[in-house]
Amino acid sequence: MKLTGKILLLAAGTAVVSSVVTAVAMQQVLAPSDEYTFSSPSADPGAGRFYTVGHSPASSTDFSRAAESTINGVVSIKSYATPRGYSNSRGGGGGFFNDPFFEYFFGSPQSGRGNRQQDDRRQPREQQLGLGSGVILTADGYIVTNNHVIDEAERLEVTLNDNRTFDATVIGTDPMTDLALIKIDASDLPVIPMGDSEGLKVGEWVLAVGNPFGFTSTVTTGIVSAKARSITGVTHSRPMGIESYIQTDAAVNPGNSGGALVTLDGELIGINTAIYSQTGNYAGYSFAIPTSIVKKIVSDLRQFGTVQRAVLGIAISDLTNEIAKEKGITAVTKGVYVNSVNDRSSAREAGIEEGDVITAVNGVTTGNYAQLQEQLAKYRPGDKIKVTFVRDNSTKTVDVKLLNNQGTTSLTKPGDITDLGCAFKKVDEKTLRQLGLSGGVQVVDLGDGTFRDSGVRNGFIIYSVNDQRVASPEDIEKIHKAIMKGNGDEKIMILRGVYPTGKRGIYAVDLAGE
């Protein structure tokens, strides 16, 4: 019994000591420290490798300061218009259309038949077209928003975060970037300072401020998921003009358009403009126009009423493995491949050639189409930049004097030919012979604008405008100027031409909206 007791006491003592040692060891393991180690399997089953991993207690991120400093700088924008050819009887659910056939037999619905009360009810009533957001840029009332928020509106109503309401005037719009500048008559307004979107890092916290579904002054948060994102490249949809978006996972919904994307320091680094969704509501993907583009567009709209857009005058595509293999390009794996160079372009004058791979503008990497667009969008015709490219697997840098899409450095005014949204080049003799034409002008660099809205597609060869033969871009410009200077509201260009495939086309381009 004594021996047994000793054994039991020894066992108990050993257990106590083991428990103390284990507790101390666990305390050391679980205690916060500057670093800790863990083992990881290696190629040698008999060996163990240890990796030191930096560790510090997680710190909470405070979004309140950024929210408080920016929420008053975001406004709600309602757009209104009177339905064309329609009068909303009794507030909806029916009405009259301007139908000549109906009026011939029965008279106009507003011709005076019936009593005055009925006629008043049949008058068209203003209706709300949409709801969006905007960001106050200056204390005296300049506000930036999306073009699609105000498009086709006859009246804009801006509501501040303090519930004051103002009618707004449109200063200028740019469908290519989906930006618009409007103005309200106010003073001492809160302004969100402009930040540097190019300094933004993937993974950085950002806040989206806007009015989703009419819920005013709503703040959501997320991180930067990607930069220089092209929506078209993912969705394979129609190009949306200049695309170089900041992609975030901050919740953005209808009504957020035109609102602010800000950093934790309360600086504006983007204008929320689009979501990618199969339902029309937020599904985890939202996109903002970076301030690197916003600053230039807003400045142009304020100074000139239209954007002074510089172009290189090249047809490009992202460098892919297939292109690199086919062309024997080994010196670079990312860049923008030059498919062709237009005549009278800044690229041709600088010596850039088909087959070159553009890798940087002014030292800023342009690894894809979107990044090149973002860089060029910062400049005006007449500005000089340095373009770095790879040719025959050797890197070169050239000075380029940027031109507009008509091959000049002239300032563009609202209603100028540049508002057509394309450039023109003279057709070569070989193509003319193949198509049986004596002359023609080809549409190139087609973007958002009047031509695309009228159905014209890139590559269309115009041989007559309003029954006048055209053989050079100058011919198009002269006819356009004559139409715009003419009297009367009807300003139409009737284009007759043919595509390189031989398919013929006739288009009516309405210039009245320029």
Side-chain angles (χ1 to χ4, degrees), residues 228-245 274 276 287 318 369-370 373 448 452:
R229 177 71 79 196
S230 169
I231 297 178
T232 302
V234 176
T235 62
H236 306 292
S237 58
R238 183 178 73 83
M240 297 176 64
I242 294 177
E243 293 186 55
S244 186
Y245 297 112
Y276 180 60
F287 303 88
D318 287 347
Y369 179 83
Q373 278 192 319
D448 284 356
R452 171 172 278 170

Side-chain angles (χ1 to χ4, degrees), residues 313-317 337-342 445:
I314 54 179
I316 58 177
S317 59
Y337 184 80
V338 179
N339 294 306
S340 64
V341 181
N342 297 337
D445 293 339

Side-chain angles (χ1 to χ4, degrees), residues 43-100:
D44 181 3
R49 293 183 181 178
F50 289 86
Y51 301 87
T52 300
V53 181
H55 171 73
S56 60
S59 59
S60 60
T61 301
D62 184 9
F63 304 108
S64 61
R65 185 169 62 88
E68 290 172 359
S69 66
T70 58
I71 198 167
N72 291 319
V74 177
V75 303
S76 172
I77 302 175
K78 293 180 181 179
S79 60
Y80 295 90
T82 302
R84 296 178 182 177
Y86 177 75
S87 63
N88 187 11
S89 177
R90 300 182 185 272
F96 295 92
F97 290 88
N98 289 337
D99 186 340

